[in-house]
Amino acid sequence: MKDILKQLDIAGENKGTSTGTEWLPGSGDLLQIKSPVDGSPIATVQQTDDKNYEAVMAKAAEAFASWRLWPAPKRGEVVRQVGEALRNHKEALGKLVSYEMGKSLQEGYGEVQEMIDICDFAVGLSRQLYGLTIHSERAGHRMYEQWHPLGTVGIISAFNFPVAVWSWNAMLAWVCGDVCIWKPSEKTPLSAVACQHIISKVFQKNQVPEGVCSLVTGARALGEKLAADHRIPLLSATGSTRMGKAVAATVGARLGKTLLELGGNNAIIITPEADLNIAIIGAVFGAVGTAGQRCTTTRRLIIHASVYETVKNKLAAAYAQLRIGNPLDEHNHVGPLIDKAAVQQYLSAIEKCKTEGGNFVVEGGVLEGAGYESGCYVKPCIAEAQPHYEIVQQETFAPILYLLKYNTLEEAIAIQNGVPQGLSSSIMTLNLREAETFLSAAGSDCGIANVNIGTSGAEIGGAFGGEKETGGGRESGSDAWRNYMRRQTNTINYSTALPLAQGIKFELGE
């Protein structure tokens, strides 16, 4: 890892505040970052103090005044070069993500690939920030809509995707003419510091104003400061539902905008007409990938009674083949949880499930011994449960899969929708009627609904996000760019008169 850190300009001690190419010395406390892979210290990062926070905010406002005037295709060209820089650093950055967060090496590479993909998407978008032409009811008038940059965008990202979700926001915000202030998770700030180093070189080469890409480092209090800051018109936050509710209340109190990506309690419905080979692979990868620490992790399997025992047995056999260990070893399927607090939450959820009556088909537990010294490795487990169990209604960020039985499709959809969260969902079936019912207005109530693929693995071309306690936000593809801009309606009178709308008469005497 020393060579990887060197390639990414990560030192033993790192400043955690940057306005782009400049790193600000400060007096903030140090974060000691340890890898969940082996428990070893990686490096320290200095947290952002009040003085540096104000310096970042001032520089961002200054940068916005000029950045918004750059033609959007020119901003897109800068983002294209960012994509090229990420391609050049994909291997090193992917390994750092894997080591700092604990996800498998292939998933680390995949996360950096998502960053590259969103750069490509944003480059094309920079020439497609379209408005509408509207026919006026008044003769000699033209109406249209246009979109303008919003301002300073705050981005709070979570530990499970240390870099990708930030890029979904930043790349689109930049081509839209906004400036960004990023607060990464205090559990994974080194990946963010590495990204800042990579991007600063591109920005410097293109003479991008200092302050377009800023980084601040800290824990909950810093996130609360961003939420309360009226100078930030849009705050995009990824994390727990509890965090999202607090952010929404604070930003809403100042009538700001939020883009929230919160918890998921995702389910796959397996019908009698499913291709079980596909269903089992989709369910296992969805449940154990990233050690169950994705917002799109499969947490519930809703299985038809006629195939329930077959699916249960196949899952147990598949879980017996899982290799748990160092995620940098590409032969392993499952890495560690992020820290020991996450391990405790995992153990508490297992006990809660048993207390409520759950029966574990595949038992859980914490792994010990050689290779598991960090204390963060756990066994993916499977429990037979009931939809109404309190623990089933909650999101536990760990590899715990609940098996639920159904008899009719209507019952399955009701179980699928019968949780507070509404992010991702899937049905495994070769029956057209079942698939279309699931995708209809009477089907899944989630922001993402899939057929014959799992709940995870969203592509950047589609808008990503969910409903209910998932927060309602949409990031990445489709028309998510509109979150980062303000809409303006324009009317131009090129006639020789001043007719009023709705035929109103207003005459002044001589």
Side-chain angles (χ1 to χ4, degrees):
M1 281 306 299
K2 288 183 179 179
D3 289 340
I4 296 300
L5 296 174
K6 186 176 180 180
Q7 289 179 45
L8 297 170
D9 297 316
I10 301 294
E13 297 181 1
N14 301 272
K15 297 183 178 68
T17 309
S18 173
T19 54
T21 62
E22 297 179 8
W23 293 84
L24 309 182
S27 59
D29 295 336
L30 294 179
L31 287 172
Q32 175 71 63
I33 308 304
K34 295 183 179 180
S35 171
V37 173
D38 54 16
S40 298
I42 310 174
T44 62
V45 181
Q46 186 179 58
Q47 299 186 70
T48 301
D49 58 23
D50 291 342
K51 179 181 178 182
N52 281 346
Y53 177 86
E54 287 302 321
V56 166
M57 289 303 305
K59 186 60 71 173
E62 180 184 329
F64 177 62
S66 56
W67 179 243
R68 64 185 174 182
L69 300 179
W70 284 41
K74 186 176 179 182
R75 298 192 295 255
E77 168 57 19
V78 174
V79 171
R80 185 194 68 78
Q81 292 178 37
V82 169
E84 289 301 309
L86 290 170
R87 283 180 173 89
N88 294 333
H89 290 84
K90 179 178 177 179
E91 182 175 355
L93 185 57
K95 286 181 178 178
L96 176 59
V97 167
S98 177
Y99 189 62
E100 185 180 28
M101 184 267 152
K103 63 175 58 178
S104 73
L105 184 58
Q106 288 303 315
E107 290 182 279
Y109 290 153
E111 182 166 350
V112 181
Q113 186 60 49
E114 282 193 42
M115 302 175 76
I116 295 167
D117 292 344
I118 199 65
C119 286
D120 289 347
F121 181 90
V123 173
L125 178 64
S126 69
R127 296 179 183 271
Q128 300 178 78
L129 302 174
Y130 299 139
L132 295 173
T133 298
I134 305 164
H135 289 278
S136 174
E137 66 186 46
R138 291 169 285 185
H141 286 60
R142 181 167 70 88
M143 294 179 64
Y144 67 94
E145 287 182 349
Q146 61 178 334
W147 295 82
H148 291 307
L150 193 60
T152 299
V153 175
I155 304 170
I156 300 175
S157 61
F159 74 85
N160 59 332
F161 281 85
V163 292
V165 174
W166 162 74
S167 71
W168 291 359
N169 286 273
M171 304 308 157
L172 298 194
W174 287 339
V175 298
C176 289
D178 298 322
V179 301
C180 296
I181 298 175
W182 180 18
K183 190 202 90 65
S185 168
E186 65 272 24
K187 298 180 181 182
T188 53
L190 293 175
S191 295
V193 170
C195 287
Q196 190 76 356
H197 283 303
I198 292 169
I199 289 169
S200 66
K201 295 179 177 66
V202 176
F203 277 30
Q204 188 171 39
K205 175 183 173 183
N206 288 273
Q207 298 181 316
V208 172
E210 190 74 14
V212 169
C213 175
S214 294
L215 177 70
V216 293
T217 303
R220 178 176 176 175
L222 182 58
E224 292 172 343
K225 181 175 288 192
L226 289 165
D229 199 322
H230 69 276
R231 294 168 292 185
I232 299 176
L234 171 66
L235 184 63
S236 175
T238 303
S240 68
T241 296
R242 176 198 57 77
M243 179 274 283
K245 288 179 177 179
V247 166
T250 301
V251 177
R254 60 178 176 85
L255 298 181
K257 296 171 61 178
T258 55
L259 197 169
L260 301 176
E261 296 290 353
L262 310 176
N265 192 350
N266 316 293
I268 297 177
I269 297 173
I270 300 180
T271 83
E273 298 191 54
D275 181 330
L276 291 187
N277 290 326
I278 290 177
I280 296 300
I281 293 173
V284 173
F285 176 73
V288 309
T290 323
Q293 297 172 111
R294 293 195 194 106
C295 51
T296 55
T297 289
T298 304
R299 309 202 180 278
R300 298 175 294 145
L301 279 189
I302 306 168
I303 311 165
H304 192 271
S306 65
V307 294
Y308 182 87
E309 291 299 323
T310 300
V311 171
K312 180 175 73 173
N313 293 333
K314 284 181 176 290
L315 284 170
Y319 269 52
Q321 300 176 48
L322 292 175
R323 290 187 294 271
I324 307 168
N326 189 323
L328 293 172
D329 181 346
E330 297 185 43
H331 294 96
N332 289 328
H333 300 110
V334 184
L337 294 178
I338 185 64
D339 54 27
K340 290 182 180 179
V343 172
Q344 189 55 52
Q345 290 175 351
Y346 158 86
L347 293 173
S348 297
I350 289 175
E351 286 306 309
K352 175 72 172 175
C353 183
K354 290 179 177 179
T355 300
E356 292 192 78
N359 171 52
F360 276 82
V361 177
V362 176
E363 292 287 345
V366 181
L367 294 169
E368 299 176 343
Y372 306 124
E373 290 85 359
S374 70
C376 297
Y377 291 87
V378 302
K379 299 176 184 178
C381 55
I382 303 174
E384 295 181 287
Q386 295 297 324
H388 66 269
Y389 287 180
E390 185 178 350
I391 193 63
V392 175
Q393 293 283 314
Q394 299 170 0
E395 177 191 43
T396 303
F397 236 47
I400 304 174
L401 180 63
Y402 302 112
L403 305 187
L404 312 171
K405 190 182 295 185
Y406 81 93
N407 291 296
T408 69
L409 182 60
E410 290 72 22
E411 180 189 2
I413 291 173
I415 294 171
Q416 143 68 39
N417 294 344
V419 294
Q421 309 84 2
L423 179 52
S424 187
S425 58
S426 177
I427 188 170
M428 297 289 182
T429 182
L430 300 179
N431 184 300
L432 179 63
R433 287 178 175 173
E434 289 182 332
E436 290 294 341
T437 299
F438 180 73
L439 300 178
S440 74
S444 170
D445 64 359
C446 293
I448 299 170
N450 299 325
V451 176
N452 294 329
I453 65 170
T455 58
S456 58
E459 297 183 32
I460 58 92
F464 180 90
E467 302 302 320
K468 301 188 294 188
E469 288 193 359
T470 302
R474 292 298 186 275
E475 293 174 324
S476 190
S478 186
D479 64 349
W481 62 270
R482 296 187 178 193
N483 289 302
Y484 309 96
M485 304 196 82
R486 58 182 177 88
R487 187 198 310 247
Q488 186 179 82
T489 301
N490 308 113
T491 304
I492 301 169
N493 178 8
Y494 60 91
S495 73
T496 58
L498 186 61
L500 303 178
Q502 291 85 45
I504 293 174
K505 301 296 182 182
F506 182 77
E507 297 179 0
L508 296 175
E510 293 290 336

